[in-house]
Amino acid sequence: MHRLAELLEIWKEVGVKIAMTHVDLPNQAKGGVAHQVHYLSNALVERGHDVTLFSFSPAFDECRYAVRQLPAPMKLRKLWSFLFAAALARVDFTGFDVIHSNGDNYLLRGRHPQIRTFYGSAKDEAQSAVRLRRKLYQIVISWLEQASTRVADVNVGISEATRARIPAITTIVPCGVDIQRFRPGAKSPHPALLFVGTTGGRKRGAFLADIFQREVRPRFPDAELWAVAEKPMEGEGIRNFGRVSLDVLTDLYQRAWVFSLPSSYEGFGVPYIEALAAGTPVVASPNPGAREVLREGEFGLLPEDAQLGAAINQLLGDAALRESFVGNGLVRAQDFSWDSVTAQYVKLYTDLMTGRQPRKADPTPGHDAQIRANGA
């Protein structure tokens, strides 16, 4: 008990020393997980914790945490996920209070205490994949996800939809959004529909563009579709922004009348909470993540494909309905503030460090003595 009280006092003063891991950072990433890990790491540092992020990517200007870049074979970028797991296995984590893995930890057996966060399910990604190569890749990743659950002491999912696919998940901590940055602003003088995602694949930007042309423009001739995507989409009233800075993205969210991301699958759907925080009503396909974030339609519309255009038109044409969703959405966005998310993770860290959360059994005798000697 004396040792526990002593540790708690130390943590109050200097915080937790966290080894965060992710294969890449936003300066090199194609996916949204890198951004979530980056924002979480910055938020933890702001709360007084010491974060070192192990990655194949170098540090960049926005990093408030330390970055330990592991040697990365640039010519084998498509194999980075597997190569990163091998690189992590060679890292000495001595001196850290906790390891927080955000993927590729299946070779970190016996490293304690360790938390693993799952940002969706590879099994669902495989089912929603359009290209065969991606489908096969996700099938392999789904096997490795199962191996990962047996390595970590605590498995965290970003949604109940993720836990449904990965039953070893014991704790739900949602993705976060910066509610100071993403906040309501002045709306565009003409109807504007915002899309943030990819033109093809499960995000279905091209599908939304087709709905916009056939159903929205005839009803609202001055409406625009603002597309933040990797490829341009063609059609009257479509404005292609390509990949944009965070400042431009925030401005688009604030000025849009409606946000729509008709994904066939989302394990969570960070753009939904960015839109809610920015005061923009959401129209989404009823994928697992959207249903959970929008609470089955309480905080946004969830039409089937055949009714997507009608739902968008309903919101564009009804200012009172939009304002109702704006008010409810701002309340819902508070659940995903970084203050809330980091507090949940810090509790997990400290519970593991104090023994209130049991650790997995070690595969080799004497490992607990080594961990105690290292001060974990």
Side-chain angles (χ1 to χ4, degrees), residues 5-215:
E6 182 181 292
L7 285 173
L8 288 172
E9 286 303 314
I10 292 173
W11 295 329
K12 284 180 183 177
E13 293 177 10
V14 301
V16 181
K17 193 166 185 180
I18 305 156
M20 192 76 69
T21 78
H22 191 255
V23 62
D24 53 17
L25 296 177
N27 55 344
Q28 291 186 328
K30 294 181 179 179
V33 175
H35 291 79
Q36 281 291 300
V37 174
H38 166 69
Y39 297 139
L40 171 61
S41 299
N42 275 346
L44 286 165
V45 170
E46 288 179 2
R47 290 176 67 97
H49 302 287
D50 185 338
V51 179
T52 299
L53 200 151
F54 294 82
S55 177
F56 276 160
S57 296
F60 62 107
D61 291 346
E62 295 178 12
C63 299
R64 297 174 189 151
Y65 47 87
V67 175
R68 192 172 301 179
Q69 185 181 10
L70 304 180
M74 296 302 297
K75 292 182 179 180
L76 298 176
R77 180 67 190 266
K78 292 182 178 179
L79 298 177
W80 265 20
S81 180
F82 309 107
L83 296 173
F84 187 62
L88 281 180
R90 296 191 292 271
V91 171
D92 180 4
F93 291 103
T94 300
F96 290 98
D97 296 318
V98 65
I99 302 167
H100 187 162
S101 303
N102 298 275
D104 310 314
N105 69 314
Y106 44 86
L107 298 181
L108 292 184
R109 186 174 298 277
R111 310 296 183 90
H112 299 295
Q114 183 184 161
I115 290 174
R116 166 68 151 96
T117 296
F118 292 88
Y119 294 84
S121 158
K123 187 179 293 185
D124 283 326
E125 291 272 11
Q127 289 185 349
S128 63
V130 175
R131 293 178 298 171
L132 178 60
R133 186 167 65 178
R134 178 169 176 79
K135 184 181 290 289
L136 294 175
Y137 171 81
Q138 292 297 338
I139 289 172
V140 172
I141 295 297
S142 70
W143 294 335
L144 295 176
E145 282 182 345
Q146 296 305 316
S148 294
T149 65
R150 295 188 287 272
V151 172
D153 298 299
V154 177
N155 292 298
V156 176
I158 55 172
S159 64
E160 290 294 345
T162 303
R163 173 151 57 184
R165 283 300 201 179
I166 308 175
I169 289 172
T170 59
T171 306
I172 303 300
V173 179
C175 292
V177 63
D178 185 347
I179 59 175
Q180 303 303 317
R181 171 179 287 276
F182 290 92
R183 61 184 187 273
K187 294 298 181 184
S188 167
H190 53 77
L193 174 66
L194 176 64
F195 168 80
V196 178
T198 54
T199 302
R202 62 181 173 86
K203 303 290 184 177
R204 303 201 298 170
F207 169 69
L208 179 63
D210 179 62
I211 294 291
F212 177 77
Q213 291 291 303
R214 290 190 293 106
E215 300 185 40

Side-chain angles (χ1 to χ4, degrees), residues 3 7 95-98 112-113 353 359 370-376:
R3 174 60 175 164
L7 285 173
F96 290 98
D97 296 318
V98 65
H112 299 295
M353 293 160 63
R359 295 180 184 178
Q370 180 184 349
I371 290 294
R372 286 193 294 271
N374 290 338

